[in-house]
Amino acid sequence: MILDRDLLDRLATTIDWNDWRWQMRNSIRSVEALQNYATLDDAEVAELETAGSRFRWSVTPYVLSLIDDTDPRCPIRRQHLPSGGELAPDFGSLDPLQEGTNSPTKSVVHVYEDRVAFKVVNVCPTYCRYCFREYFVKGSDTRSSQDSIREGLDYIASRPAIRDVLLTGGDPLMMSDERIDGILTELRAMPHVEIVRIGSRTPCTLPQRITDGLVAMLRKHQPLWLNTHFNHPDELTPEASRALNALADAGIPIGNQSVLLAGINDSIDVMKRLCEQLLRVRVRPYYVYQCQTLEGTAHLRVPIERGIEIMDGLRGNTTGFGIPTYVLDTPDGKVPLSASWFVRRDGDEVLVRTPRGRIWREHNPVGRPDPTTTT
Ligand SMILES: *Cc1c(COP(=O)(O)O)cnc(C)c1O
């Protein structure tokens, strides 16, 4: 693929470029559309046609402009454009988290007693090739109906145990400001709902969506948290930084959830740079997910031992709160994956591994010390 860099550069100087609706209207969803921006060889056309027919794809002109066409393994290209690897025989299923069985109503996933994921929309600015909600965003209806949002709100209203609501999708920020405002207003009126979180990749894939109007509306609904999704330091562009800073300036704490992906961020160096650059724009690395055993993602999955090794490599080598928790999501909830720093007990001592690779002996007798005993 050879991108028409002149065309993209010219577009990027127009006012329309900064309008998220223009980015959505001009999203590239077919080989023909892509050919307006790039020269593709026959093999690339065939790959996009066959792999792309399994799971729809779409990229904003903004995301296309970030692709490095001189790098066949470009981390941005591999997250968004279909590749032949998706058709390889695979162990994976279509709904690895069995969300269907954890859904009391179509739009709500209720795994933990006190919090729910509320799927308010089934469209996204781009379709990540490893999306575990593929089963959901695959639907031909482009939006979750008003009815399923209504059912979800009624369900949450009827369960006083729910204190934390996570708006997800699809990407909730694909909705208009008015509709988001409406949902947040209803949730805020429920006395048991203590916090609301929004999960959105728009700061990464459509930073133009973070407008002054959106931010002003969101800040009315505090305490509101936002979790976004960056996987590679190259995604932290000036546009993304502007969007993240605008959210942080509005007092919205931002976390990042990335997915460990083969050839994209499965190295200590890339993960460290990603986490450190996120901190510079006031985003706290929250989770790194093991890529789900999802049909069509065998080429992107990393052995869990390697993931643990990468996370282990960050400890002691970067800011403590810059280190996310590596987790495997399961139908029962998220399972943290880590190497143990605890080694074993030796009499009154506990042996631990240190970030410098030594064993430290900590005096730590079993049982509570008796304050009446003097020695
Ligand atoms: C991830 C998730 C949550 C939130 O989990 P936290 O560990 O609190 O971030 C809630 N519900 C579902 C179904 C989830 O998958």
Side-chain angles (χ1 to χ4, degrees):
M1 180 168 82
I2 302 165
L3 285 171
D4 185 343
R5 199 54 77 182
D6 287 345
L7 172 62
L8 285 164
D9 286 351
R10 211 163 48 243
L11 284 172
T13 63
T14 63
I15 292 173
D16 283 344
W17 185 265
N18 300 313
D19 172 357
W20 71 277
R21 294 190 184 276
W22 181 90
Q23 290 279 340
M24 290 307 294
R25 270 199 311 278
N26 288 281
S27 282
I28 297 116
R29 303 185 168 90
S30 66
V31 171
E32 299 74 61
L34 185 58
Q35 282 168 331
N36 293 328
Y37 296 90
T39 309
L40 303 166
D41 65 32
D42 290 349
E44 287 168 330
V45 170
E47 186 175 28
L48 284 168
E49 296 279 9
T50 51
S53 63
R54 199 193 61 85
F55 175 36
R56 67 164 135 157
W57 59 280
S58 180
V59 287
T60 55
Y62 168 76
V63 165
L64 189 66
S65 76
L66 300 184
I67 291 177
D68 177 358
D69 55 6
T70 64
D71 175 7
R73 295 184 58 82
C74 168
I76 293 166
R77 176 177 184 167
R78 282 164 39 86
Q79 288 182 64
H80 304 291
L81 289 183
S83 79
E86 294 176 30
L87 301 172
D90 188 7
F91 195 76
S93 66
L94 202 54
D95 179 12
L97 293 178
Q98 299 162 28
E99 288 197 319
T101 64
N102 281 320
S103 294
T105 121
K106 192 179 161 219
S107 57
V108 172
V109 187
H110 201 167
V111 172
Y112 303 106
E113 170 93 9
D114 69 327
R115 54 207 196 277
V116 290
F118 184 13
K119 299 181 293 182
V120 291
V121 64
N122 72 350
V123 287
C124 288
T126 65
Y127 295 96
C128 310
R129 303 320 292 168
Y130 48 85
C131 177
F132 75 96
R133 289 265 168 76
E134 182 184 325
Y135 77 88
F136 181 67
V137 298
K138 233 176 170 163
S140 52
D141 51 333
T142 50
R143 269 160 216 259
S144 276
S145 65
Q146 285 286 8
D147 287 353
S148 82
I149 293 180
R150 183 75 267 144
E151 279 169 22
L153 286 167
D154 290 346
Y155 177 81
I156 295 165
S158 71
R159 300 290 146 125
I162 300 172
R163 40 162 288 284
D164 175 359
V165 175
L166 163 49
L167 296 186
T168 180
D171 195 312
L173 297 189
M174 286 288 91
M175 293 190 292
S176 68
D177 292 3
E178 293 69 32
R179 287 194 77 196
I180 301 167
D181 193 17
I183 292 171
L184 290 174
T185 303
E186 280 208 47
L187 290 171
R188 276 278 154 262
M190 300 177 195
H192 56 284
V193 175
E194 296 172 5
I195 58 168
V196 176
R197 323 185 223 179
I198 294 179
S200 174
R201 202 178 185 185
T202 58
C204 176
T205 52
L206 184 66
Q208 298 79 9
R209 177 65 186 96
I210 312 301
T211 60
D212 292 347
L214 175 76
V215 170
M217 181 276 287
L218 293 178
R219 74 183 307 165
K220 290 190 310 189
H221 298 287
Q222 299 282 19
L224 184 74
W225 297 63
L226 188 138
N227 278 330
T228 188
H229 175 29
F230 286 78
N231 284 329
H232 193 278
D234 288 355
E235 293 165 337
L236 284 153
T237 62
E239 290 93 330
S241 300
R242 183 210 56 83
L244 294 164
N245 279 318
L247 290 164
D249 285 347
I252 299 168
I254 313 163
N256 187 64
Q257 310 194 154
S258 54
V259 178
L260 185 66
L261 297 167
I264 292 174
N265 58 13
D266 60 337
S267 76
I268 296 174
D269 169 61
V270 172
M271 232 359 131
K272 184 168 178 292
R273 282 192 290 128
L274 171 65
C275 293
E276 290 174 354
Q277 295 204 27
L278 285 166
L279 293 184
R280 292 174 66 170
V281 282
R282 290 178 284 171
V283 177
R284 175 155 187 193
Y286 178 40
Y287 282 143
V288 172
Y289 287 95
Q290 171 63 19
C291 182
Q292 297 297 150
T293 312
L294 174 82
E295 193 184 288
T297 60
H299 62 302
L300 293 173
R301 299 200 292 268
V302 176
I304 288 174
E305 289 86 345
R306 176 66 189 141
I308 290 174
E309 219 172 80
I310 293 167
M311 301 314 296
D312 220 39
L314 297 181
R315 182 63 56 190
N317 291 318
T318 191
T319 307
F321 64 84
I323 303 176
T325 307
Y326 178 37
V327 291
L328 171 69
D329 209 351
T330 73
D332 292 351
K334 295 172 181 64
V335 178
L337 300 170
S338 70
S340 182
W341 293 84
F342 176 93
V343 180
R344 65 184 165 87
R345 171 168 291 281
D346 182 12
D348 277 354
E349 291 181 329
V350 159
L351 275 58
V352 294
R353 210 157 53 86
T354 74
R356 292 192 182 163
R358 293 192 302 154
I359 296 293
W360 171 259
R361 288 179 168 269
E362 178 74 10
H363 180 72
N364 179 252
V366 180
R368 194 183 304 192
D370 182 348
T372 62
T373 321
T374 49
T375 47

